[in-house]
Amino acid sequence: MTLDAPPNGRNAKGETRRVGVEIEFAGLPPRDTAQIVRELFGGELNVVSPHRLLVEGTRWGEFGIELDTQYAHPDKALLEEGHEQDSEWMRQQHQHRLEFHRKTRELIGDMVTGLVPTEIVCPPVPWDELPDLDSLFEALRTHGAKGTDASLLYGFGLHLNPEIERADVDYLLAMLRAYLLLASWLRDEIKVDITREVLPHANPFPKEYALKVLDREYTPDLDTLIDDYLHYNPTRNRELDMLPLFAYLRPDHPHKLLHSELTKPRPTFHYRLPNAQLSEPHWGAVTEWNRWAAVEHLAAAEASLSARCDDYIALHNRPWFMRMTSRIKCWWHGRSSTKR
């Protein structure tokens, strides 16, 4: 598949923009998955715990592979507890507790392997090297990895973390607007799995927020853009999660979501919508990047973006009975076409 170039492939420093990729799947435990990553990209295997491994020193950096549940891994806070001032007997007791804790978490991981997904968190990859990363998806398929459509229980996703081009509010607002306008098209293209639709992990933006942001009278500064986002979207579970980016841009912002352990500050968009379509030949990061690139192209086309914002506002500000009439006409037209 041909890789679509973004309108600007470099960041504010003039460096090639990078894309983080995260993929969830079943059918392969973390250790086997880590071996596949190492065979493809080299590096050294680091077993952090039985169900959490790293492949370090690849051409792009560090791959993280683990069972996607905190209960399969030792508690970091417990491991880092200080007991230097305790007596020898108390330190021994603490070591016994740690050993029991590790064994218990390992047993939990063994029990849930196959029920919870394995996750690969790839290092940031230059956008123009994504075709090389797709060899990983082909290898996962070959070794029996199962994606979203393999079971009704598999609400697995692929996440992209495209590095921002720049951090000014005009660019970020244009990207948000482009995404809101293309969100329905993306869902149709991806054919978001019913299980993922039911689960809250990639919920659409509320209509009230879309109407606010797409109104061309809306000209916020960066702090207002962030505050409005948090007001209308007090959750990580959005198809385009802006929290990691906002936490990076405003580390002193008081909102608790920007300081959650699960919110990792980084200069990227966190795009959560795609399924993990491992059953489809040739599907991979390039497929989903090309869909994302359509958002970037619309954001960069100022006249087209403005016109589509105006059309959206005009459509959704019509009286409800006019909107309903239009929907009935579209439905009837589609039904009639099908019968022909």
Side-chain angles (χ1 to χ4, degrees):
M1 179 177 292
T2 303
L3 180 70
D4 289 350
N8 189 347
R10 297 191 176 273
N11 61 23
K13 296 179 181 179
E15 302 165 339
T16 300
R17 290 169 57 205
R18 295 175 176 262
V19 187
V21 180
E22 305 166 29
I23 174 72
E24 302 167 330
F25 53 89
L28 283 174
R31 185 175 288 273
D32 293 350
T33 302
Q35 292 291 355
I36 292 170
V37 171
R38 187 184 181 191
E39 289 169 8
L40 287 172
F41 306 121
E44 296 297 325
L45 190 63
N46 177 2
V47 181
V48 179
S49 63
H51 302 289
R52 175 177 284 154
L53 303 96
L54 303 175
V55 179
E56 302 171 326
T58 75
R59 62 190 265 200
W60 297 310
E62 177 185 284
F63 285 79
I65 303 101
E66 63 180 49
L67 283 182
D68 192 18
T69 172
Q70 62 179 337
Y71 302 110
H73 313 296
D75 187 296
K76 183 179 179 181
L78 181 61
L79 296 181
E80 294 177 351
E81 279 185 4
H83 290 267
E84 293 79 6
Q85 305 304 317
D86 292 344
S87 67
E88 180 63 25
W89 183 84
M90 292 182 68
R91 285 197 294 271
Q92 289 179 1
Q93 292 302 306
H94 177 65
Q95 287 303 316
H96 290 320
R97 286 197 297 272
L98 283 182
E99 187 62 24
F100 179 75
H101 175 73
R102 290 191 182 98
K103 291 292 185 182
T104 301
R105 291 300 175 95
E106 180 180 356
L107 178 60
I108 291 173
D110 292 343
M111 292 173 63
V112 302
T113 296
L115 300 176
V116 300
T118 296
E119 180 181 36
I120 303 176
V121 178
C122 303
V125 175
W127 71 267
D128 53 359
E129 296 180 29
L130 285 172
D132 294 345
L133 184 65
D134 268 4
S135 62
L136 173 60
F137 295 83
E138 187 59 40
L140 292 174
R141 269 189 289 270
T142 300
H143 286 83
K146 306 297 183 184
T148 314
D149 57 354
S151 169
L152 286 174
L153 301 176
Y154 291 169
F156 303 155
L158 176 135
H159 299 175
L160 294 182
N161 298 286
E163 183 181 6
I164 59 173
E165 175 187 326
R166 57 186 199 273
D168 62 89
V169 69
D170 291 339
Y171 164 73
L172 298 179
L173 180 59
M175 287 293 293
L176 259 176
R177 283 172 167 164
Y179 187 85
L180 289 166
L181 290 167
L182 292 179
S184 294
W185 172 79
L186 286 167
R187 285 179 174 271
D188 289 342
E189 283 287 300
I190 293 168
K191 298 178 176 60
V192 178
D193 185 80
I194 183 63
T195 304
R196 300 190 71 237
E197 289 278 17
V198 172
L199 294 171
H201 303 143
N203 284 342
F205 287 97
K207 180 181 174 183
E208 294 80 6
Y209 182 67
L211 287 169
K212 183 179 187 68
V213 171
L214 294 174
D215 188 338
R216 284 206 283 158
E217 297 298 314
Y218 182 63
T219 55
D221 59 18
L222 181 57
D223 290 318
T224 302
L225 181 71
I226 293 173
D227 289 342
D228 287 342
Y229 179 93
L230 291 167
H231 174 74
Y232 286 93
N233 307 281
T235 175
R236 294 177 61 247
N237 297 325
R238 286 286 180 260
E239 54 195 328
L240 180 62
D241 177 14
M242 298 291 285
L243 296 181
L245 175 57
F246 290 157
Y248 172 83
L249 295 174
R250 288 293 185 266
D252 297 328
H253 195 287
H255 199 287
K256 63 181 181 181
L257 272 178
L258 299 185
H259 303 281
S260 165
E261 184 179 349
L262 297 175
T263 300
K264 297 177 173 57
R266 55 198 173 198
T268 71
F269 302 103
H270 186 39
Y271 173 47
R272 302 162 60 95
L273 189 61
N275 300 324
Q277 293 296 122
L278 287 169
S279 63
E280 293 185 7
H282 311 301
W283 174 89
V286 170
T287 303
E288 301 305 340
W289 165 263
N290 286 349
R291 289 167 175 158
W292 168 261
V295 176
E296 299 209 2
H297 281 287
L298 179 57
E302 186 175 347
S304 179
L305 181 65
S306 295
R308 292 186 65 166
C309 285
D310 290 344
D311 289 344
Y312 184 98
I313 295 296
L315 174 65
H316 288 275
N317 279 344
R318 290 187 303 169
W320 71 269
F321 59 86
M322 293 182 64
R323 296 198 303 272
M324 185 61 66
T325 300
S326 295
R327 289 177 184 173
I328 292 172
K329 286 181 179 178
C330 288
W331 172 80
W332 183 257
H333 177 74
R335 186 170 179 269
S336 300
S337 299
T338 304
K339 287 184 174 181
R340 292 194 191 107

